[in-house]
Amino acid sequence: MTEAKIAPSLLSGDFANLEHEVGRMLHYGSDWLHVDIMDSQFVPSLTIGPIVVKAMRSHFTQEKAFFDCHLMVMNPEKWVDEFADAGANMFCFHYEATEKHMEIINRAHERGMLVSCAVKPDTPVEVLDPLVQHLDMALIMTVEPGKGGQSFRSECLPKVKYLRTRHPNLDIEVDGGLSPKTVDAASDAGANVIVAGTAVFKAENPTQVISELRNSVLKAQEIKPWAKK
Ligand code: DX5
Ligand code: ZN
């Protein structure tokens, strides 16, 4: 059984105070920290790169903080070594951003990272079929990548169900518009890794939101709705 993991997205945090933001998210009970890397080509925005991951890593050991790095960049193959050197735990690249899928997966594994491949809302999930046996995780985007605070797109969830029915032990992450209101649909489809930016960072009680997100996954895993016809 895949474990429930909650990954607050630092994109909604205070970029001038990332050590504090990582520390408080860990204190609130988050499992992973989701780090959104944008290059102004694959998506319009420009955020941070490996230098910032490295700076965060210098404050938190590998055991303490798991950095789930979501690269919304063209040609992610250029960045595998730098993210490994920076101390990233998960190297998540977009299917649409490269043709060198297997090269990236192999190199990231060689460098000791876990690897995930992400698909945008309009990309069919079947593109992952040849890759999935080599992946540690798949990321089904539930918004168009590029910014936080967008509305959750439930029409992406059949892709989660497609993967879950075929791969009971794969980590399946959803990202975009997740909150206590929308998470049940994603959990019921089979997602076990939940990214949440706005919902956690803007919450009055982030501990409670993280716990609600986790409970949604745990509840769905008891019932296994995806196993039903
Ligand atoms: C969007 C990013 C997300 C974003 C999610 O391109 O990949 O990780 O931070 O933010 P919310 O949870 O606010 O939709
Ligand atoms: Zn993301």
Side-chain angles (χ1 to χ4, degrees):
M1 180 65 82
T2 51
E3 274 175 54
K5 294 176 195 94
I6 310 305
S9 166
L10 293 170
L11 190 61
S12 295
D14 177 0
F15 272 110
N17 212 346
L18 284 173
E19 182 192 1
H20 174 72
E21 296 295 56
V22 171
R24 75 182 178 107
M25 287 301 139
L26 292 173
H27 175 73
Y28 298 148
S30 68
D31 301 279
W32 290 0
L33 286 312
H34 185 82
V35 187
D36 287 301
I37 317 292
M38 306 188 191
D39 69 346
S40 88
Q41 290 186 54
F42 183 72
V43 292
S45 244
L46 185 63
T47 57
I48 59 168
I51 193 169
V52 177
V53 175
K54 191 171 186 176
M56 292 193 294
R57 174 59 73 214
S58 74
H59 292 280
F60 299 93
T61 62
Q62 291 275 348
E63 291 70 40
K64 184 86 181 151
F66 184 105
F67 293 127
D68 172 30
C69 297
H70 175 196
L71 278 81
M72 288 162 272
V73 309
M74 287 307 295
N75 305 315
E77 59 274 9
K78 288 188 199 162
W79 296 101
V80 177
D81 282 293
E82 287 204 48
F83 275 89
D85 292 340
N89 299 89
M90 177 72 76
F91 187 87
C92 178
F93 66 97
H94 264 269
Y95 181 85
E96 306 86 355
T98 180
E99 292 186 348
K100 301 187 173 162
H101 307 106
M102 277 314 302
E103 189 182 301
I104 293 170
I105 293 169
N106 290 334
R107 183 65 186 156
H109 278 154
E110 270 169 35
R111 292 299 319 270
M113 295 184 288
L114 299 176
V115 192
S116 171
C117 189
V119 287
K120 298 206 277 186
D122 293 338
T123 303
V125 67
E126 291 82 2
V127 301
L128 297 179
D129 284 347
L131 302 180
V132 75
Q133 61 175 310
H134 306 285
L135 293 170
D136 301 289
M137 187 170 84
L139 167 52
I140 302 297
M141 291 302 298
T142 44
V143 298
E144 197 58 38
K147 55 180 189 219
Q150 304 180 72
S151 299
F152 178 71
R153 289 175 59 174
S154 60
E155 70 269 24
C156 301
L157 294 179
K159 297 200 266 187
V160 174
K161 189 170 177 188
Y162 174 94
L163 290 175
R164 178 56 71 219
T165 50
R166 286 160 182 79
H167 306 284
N169 299 316
L170 178 71
D171 276 330
I172 304 177
E173 181 174 62
V174 282
D175 181 10
L178 272 305
S179 73
K181 286 206 174 78
T182 56
V183 70
D184 286 348
S187 305
D188 286 352
N192 69 300
V193 185
I194 310 294
V195 176
T198 312
V200 171
F201 278 88
K202 310 286 179 231
E204 267 179 43
N205 186 342
T207 305
Q208 189 186 329
V209 170
I210 288 171
S211 141
E212 284 176 30
L213 297 173
R214 188 191 318 285
N215 287 338
S216 169
V217 174
L218 295 176
K219 198 168 126 217
Q221 287 187 335
E222 268 174 38
I223 311 165
K224 296 192 181 62
W226 55 85
K228 296 185 184 132
K229 289 261 154 53

